[in-house]
Amino acid sequence: MSTYLQTKENITAGHFSSIYFFYGTEKYMMDDLVQQISRHALEDTVRDFNFSQFDMRDVPVQEGIEEAETVSFFGPGRVIVFQHARFLTGAKDKDMPPHDLKRLESFLDDPPPENIVVFAVEEQKVDERKKIVKKLKGVGETVEASPLQGDRLKQWIREKAKEENISLTAEASDELLGRSNSDLLTLEQEIRKCAQYVNFHGEIHAAIVRALVPRSLEDNIFQLIDAVSDSYPAKALQLFDDLLRNGEEPIKIIALIGRQFRLLNLAAEMDKRGYSQQKIARQLGVPPFVAKRLSAKAKTVKGEAVGRALSLIAETDYKMKQGAVEKKSGVALLIARLPRVLSA
């Protein structure tokens, strides 16, 4: 098993495998690796002729194999991509075409060395019990496209910034992560925006990120909680109003407020037990910089106060869903009451 970053580095250096197997929830990673293979393995003049993609939801795998076994008449080597290969998972799709897996197994026994064949499926897990999955992992280079975290995510940001001929300070990188929710596509777009601002040359500081990159919904919620815990209800209500103007629903907002307080509660408990921030991040399923922020906030709010806040949030949420209180006014009243609840 290889990592996304290792595989990308090998591809850009011109070191290719005949068979690749990509699976996971990060579509960006799989699309990027396919794009890198196409860019670096095929010459520009023949790419249109030597690059083929097959959607396994509509096309049986044996049809793609026929093309993968065909010699290219336009330069050396071809790239053939089998997308949405759900037959490698435990899915029971009734409308799946009749895939001849015996034919695929035979192909994998002796794939043409001049071609590159990619199998990709956007699923968190594949069916490890299946013979074809074991065979693919045995003969191919396998990459699990799972979310980048910690140092690997920061490495990706540095490399992406380098591609745009810029660099980011550590504070700017953290600010960018906080505003993008660690989504790679969003990060790529915002890094390019920052690069354009400095004309693709120079260093990006946190002030530039704050000026150019809008906050993510989750970051806005955390800012709102910061405001209520610091007894600034007017600022919190302004943030709530901004979220409403951006089209966010009150029910979603109160759910996220509740989630952040539950995470605060858990982070505080783990901090008391001496958990490292990396371990807190893994346990909570959040990036390390978010775990750091939660731990810092948890130190300023008493545990019993968080418990009272969660009770008030649950009560307000129930009344809103029962129609006992209008949704916008219900959340607004909650926000106005939270500072007193947290300071009591």
Side-chain angles (χ1 to χ4, degrees):
M1 179 98 55
S2 184
T3 68
Y4 161 66
L5 293 175
Q6 288 170 343
T7 300
K8 183 173 180 178
E9 184 177 340
N10 289 337
I11 291 168
T12 55
H15 304 308
F16 305 105
S17 298
S18 294
I19 305 292
Y20 288 97
F21 179 24
F22 305 148
Y23 72 93
T25 56
E26 280 287 348
K27 184 177 185 299
Y28 174 94
M29 291 183 186
M30 292 186 279
D31 288 347
D32 184 42
L33 290 176
V34 169
Q35 185 180 51
Q36 296 299 326
I37 291 170
S38 173
R39 179 184 302 170
H40 293 280
L42 301 175
E43 296 178 2
D44 293 343
T45 54
V46 299
R47 186 170 293 116
D48 289 343
F49 300 102
N50 287 350
F51 180 82
S52 301
Q53 290 194 86
F54 295 91
D55 189 333
M56 296 290 95
R57 296 171 300 184
D58 303 317
V59 180
V61 69
Q62 54 271 23
E63 287 190 20
I65 290 172
E66 287 182 13
E67 184 150 347
E69 291 176 330
T70 303
V71 176
S72 169
F73 294 103
F74 303 96
R78 311 179 70 188
V79 173
I80 297 92
V81 182
F82 295 79
Q83 295 279 17
H84 309 294
R86 287 173 57 79
F87 57 81
L88 300 171
T89 72
K92 303 294 184 182
D93 297 341
K94 293 181 180 179
D95 56 350
M96 187 182 294
H99 296 297
D100 187 345
L101 299 187
K102 293 291 185 183
R103 178 82 169 83
L104 176 55
E105 288 176 23
S106 177
F107 169 80
L108 292 175
D109 284 334
D110 188 26
E114 68 275 11
N115 291 341
I116 296 174
V117 178
V118 180
F119 294 86
V121 58
E122 295 169 41
E123 293 289 343
Q124 186 173 3
K125 293 182 179 180
V126 291
D127 192 339
E128 303 283 354
R129 299 166 299 176
K130 290 186 174 182
K131 182 179 178 181
I132 190 61
V133 171
K134 294 176 182 178
K135 195 168 192 83
L136 259 178
K137 285 193 168 187
V139 303
E141 183 170 344
T142 303
V143 177
E144 182 179 355
S146 56
L148 295 177
Q149 293 184 347
D151 290 340
R152 290 198 301 161
L153 181 55
K154 290 185 177 181
Q155 179 188 347
W156 182 89
I157 289 174
R158 287 193 298 270
E159 292 178 357
K160 188 59 64 174
K162 187 177 179 181
E163 289 177 14
E164 303 291 349
N165 198 38
I166 61 169
S167 61
L168 282 81
T169 66
E171 187 182 0
S173 181
D174 286 342
E175 189 73 33
L176 183 63
L177 282 170
R179 289 169 181 257
S180 67
N181 201 30
S182 303
D183 178 74
L184 296 185
L185 180 58
T186 301
L187 280 168
E188 180 183 58
Q189 293 169 342
E190 298 302 345
I191 289 170
R192 186 170 297 122
K193 184 194 296 180
C194 290
Q196 289 172 335
Y197 180 78
V198 295
N199 200 25
F200 299 96
H201 180 74
E203 188 175 58
I204 301 298
H205 297 274
I208 294 175
V209 175
R210 285 192 285 268
L212 296 179
V213 181
R215 293 187 185 280
S216 67
L217 174 58
E218 288 78 5
D219 192 47
N220 273 313
I221 294 295
F222 202 93
Q223 294 296 318
L224 190 154
I225 290 172
D226 266 347
V228 296
S229 63
D230 294 338
S231 296
Y232 293 121
K235 180 180 178 182
L237 286 167
Q238 181 60 59
L239 286 164
F240 173 55
D241 192 50
D242 291 342
L243 289 170
L244 291 177
R245 284 202 302 271
N246 287 335
E248 301 297 343
E249 293 293 330
I251 288 291
K252 184 177 182 180
I253 293 171
I254 195 173
L256 288 171
I257 291 173
R259 178 178 181 272
Q260 286 295 329
F261 272 107
R262 286 191 292 274
L263 289 175
L264 271 176
N265 208 23
L266 291 169
E269 184 61 33
M270 292 178 191
D271 201 48
K272 286 179 186 176
R273 296 183 184 183
Y275 284 29
S276 68
Q277 285 182 359
Q278 289 286 343
K279 190 170 184 180
I280 292 174
R282 286 196 300 272
Q283 291 289 326
L284 298 182
V286 298
F289 76 92
V290 173
K292 180 180 179 181
R293 190 162 62 174
L294 286 167
S295 295
K297 175 55 62 177
K299 288 180 172 63
T300 68
V301 183
K302 294 180 180 178
E304 57 269 25
V306 174
R308 289 194 298 271
L310 284 168
S311 295
L312 180 59
I313 292 165
E315 178 188 341
T316 304
D317 183 61
Y318 177 79
K319 288 180 178 178
M320 288 165 58
K321 289 176 179 175
Q322 293 298 310
V325 62
E326 196 276 328
K327 293 180 175 61
K328 291 181 183 178
S329 59
V331 178
L333 181 59
L334 168 71
I335 291 169
R337 293 176 62 188
L338 277 174
R340 293 195 299 274
V341 170
L342 291 170
S343 61

